[in-house]
Amino acid sequence: MRTLETNTSGSVSEFILLGFPCRREIQILLFVLFSIIYFLILMGNAAIICAVWSSWKLHTPMYILLANFSFLEICYVSSDVPKMLANIISQTKSISYAGCLLQFYFFFSMCAAESLFLSVMSFDRFLAVCRPLHYPIIMTHRLCVLLVVFCWVGGFLWLLTPLILISQVPFCGPNTVDHFLCDLAPLLALSCAPVSGIRLICGIVSSLIIFLTLLYILGTYFYVLSVVLQMSSGSGRQKAFSTCASHLAVISLFYGSVMVMYVSPGSGEYPGIQKFVTLFYALATPFFNPLIYNFRNKDMEEALKKILSVLLKEIFKGSKSRI
């Protein structure tokens, strides 16, 4: 395996993503496992997008936000999993300098966009539960579109500062990153110049979006919970809880793993823990998202059943015509 590749100026032109160093048999098993999970993530989230697109009943702000969230999850896993799979079976495990920076930027930009989407979805649930009569007046199609644009653009703008700072860091060797993707801490550890200031600024930027969105979500659901508990109708209370439960489950998965990774003291000092937690929040939320949001959601189940029946009919017609 190559350990150092430099350009004419003496700086590193590519990195080696160490990934999961283990026996070849284990690597093949990991490749198969992660490939299956990746395929299920793509199919599950694509099914939600198709269901929302095909059913007029689901053309509401809540499901439009959910469809965008599912598309984000597809982009999210596609920014790192294909490269991770390629490196598992590759002997070189290399990624170019530019490719490494782009992977860092897209992966964490979509991570930031995900936190913004979760915040906006909590705002939507707040209006639906606490302001049901004003909901159609406030949450218009125009506002929904503006919120979607805000989440996408905001996530990518938020990571511009860390990207610019990291691009100024000199790397002159070694170039082996003890991770399966280009994460901040392993990259800065390879710098041949002091990076304490850059590390501090990047930490503040990432912590701000984590804590601001999490505090907003917790505050929103605290208010929602107080309103739900005051409801006199048992059926209304149950409907409100079921409406918010799926969203809260996804929030718990995402923020739980992110907080363990970037907030727990010393968590970044152990590469094994770092890889496991990163792998969890890179795969767990996108994987469970379709299952959680479809659980006990009759409208989504009906839309998915219609799509499945149409697909089965087309497959049956195709096979019948060939016979």
Side-chain angles (χ1 to χ4, degrees):
M1 182 188 294
R2 291 170 296 174
T3 58
L4 184 61
E5 188 75 25
T6 60
N7 56 28
T8 54
S9 63
S11 60
V12 169
S13 61
E14 70 173 26
F15 293 99
I16 306 299
L17 293 174
L18 195 59
F20 307 95
C22 53
R23 296 201 313 270
R24 190 62 180 169
E25 296 81 7
I26 303 297
Q27 289 183 336
I28 294 173
L29 181 63
L30 290 176
F31 176 81
V32 174
L33 176 63
F34 293 151
S35 297
I36 293 172
I37 294 174
Y38 180 56
F39 175 77
L40 292 175
I41 288 172
L42 296 182
M43 293 299 101
N45 286 282
I48 289 180
I49 297 171
C50 293
V52 173
W53 179 78
S54 63
S55 175
W56 285 102
K57 189 184 289 187
L58 301 182
H59 288 188
T60 61
M62 182 180 80
Y63 291 107
I64 291 172
L65 291 171
L66 177 59
N68 275 273
F69 186 75
S70 295
F71 180 67
L72 173 67
E73 298 286 53
I74 292 174
C75 298
Y76 182 47
V77 295
S78 298
S79 66
D80 67 301
V81 173
K83 184 61 179 176
M84 178 183 71
L85 293 174
N87 282 348
I88 288 176
I89 59 174
S90 171
Q91 295 297 323
T92 59
K93 305 182 186 298
S94 63
I95 183 171
S96 67
Y97 173 82
C100 189
L101 292 186
L102 285 174
Q103 186 190 62
F104 165 82
Y105 177 64
F106 282 107
F107 179 80
F108 289 101
S109 291
M110 283 181 278
C111 187
E114 183 163 346
S115 64
L116 293 175
F117 264 109
L118 290 172
S119 301
V120 168
M121 292 165 78
S122 69
F123 171 69
D124 176 74
R125 292 303 83 208
F126 163 77
L127 290 179
V129 175
C130 303
R131 301 287 188 271
L133 298 179
H134 298 89
Y135 181 83
I137 301 172
I138 299 174
M139 187 58 79
T140 59
H141 179 74
R142 182 174 179 273
L143 179 60
C144 184
V145 171
L146 288 174
L147 290 173
V148 167
V149 173
F150 164 74
C151 293
W152 281 104
V153 175
F156 281 88
L157 288 179
W158 197 271
L159 265 292
L160 273 179
T161 299
L163 176 68
I164 293 171
L165 290 175
I166 294 174
S167 67
Q168 305 303 314
V169 174
F171 297 100
C172 38
N175 68 335
T176 302
V177 181
D178 193 6
H179 212 310
F180 63 86
L181 57 78
C182 293
D183 202 349
L184 179 65
L187 275 179
L188 294 183
L190 300 178
S191 170
C192 49
V195 290
S196 56
I198 294 176
R199 196 189 304 272
L200 177 63
I201 295 172
C202 292
I204 291 173
V205 170
S206 60
S207 297
L208 271 176
I209 195 164
I210 292 171
F211 282 109
L212 288 177
T213 54
L214 180 59
L215 288 174
Y216 176 79
I217 292 170
L218 292 177
T220 300
Y221 273 101
F222 178 80
Y223 194 82
V224 169
L225 182 62
S226 64
V227 171
V228 169
L229 293 176
Q230 293 174 10
M231 290 181 177
S232 56
S233 171
S235 59
R237 192 183 300 115
Q238 184 178 1
K239 184 179 179 181
F241 272 125
S242 62
T243 302
C244 301
S246 56
H247 187 221
L248 283 171
V250 172
I251 288 169
S252 301
L253 278 173
F254 177 74
Y255 280 99
S257 54
V258 169
M259 295 286 279
V260 167
M261 184 68 245
Y262 295 103
V263 181
S264 298
S267 60
E269 298 177 4
Y270 303 97
I273 297 176
Q274 196 175 39
K275 292 178 192 178
F276 175 78
V277 178
T278 305
L279 188 67
F280 183 82
Y281 74 75
L283 290 178
T285 306
F287 178 76
F288 288 109
N289 173 48
L291 301 176
I292 291 171
Y293 279 112
N294 291 334
F295 182 65
R296 295 177 63 183
N297 191 319
K298 293 182 180 179
D299 293 334
M300 186 65 72
E301 286 180 2
E302 289 176 5
L304 289 173
K305 285 178 182 177
K306 287 181 181 179
I307 293 174
L308 184 60
S309 63
V310 170
L311 286 175
L312 290 175
K313 285 180 182 178
E314 291 297 323
I315 293 172
F316 180 74
K317 285 181 182 179
S319 59
K320 195 173 182 181
S321 62
R322 283 194 296 270
I323 294 173

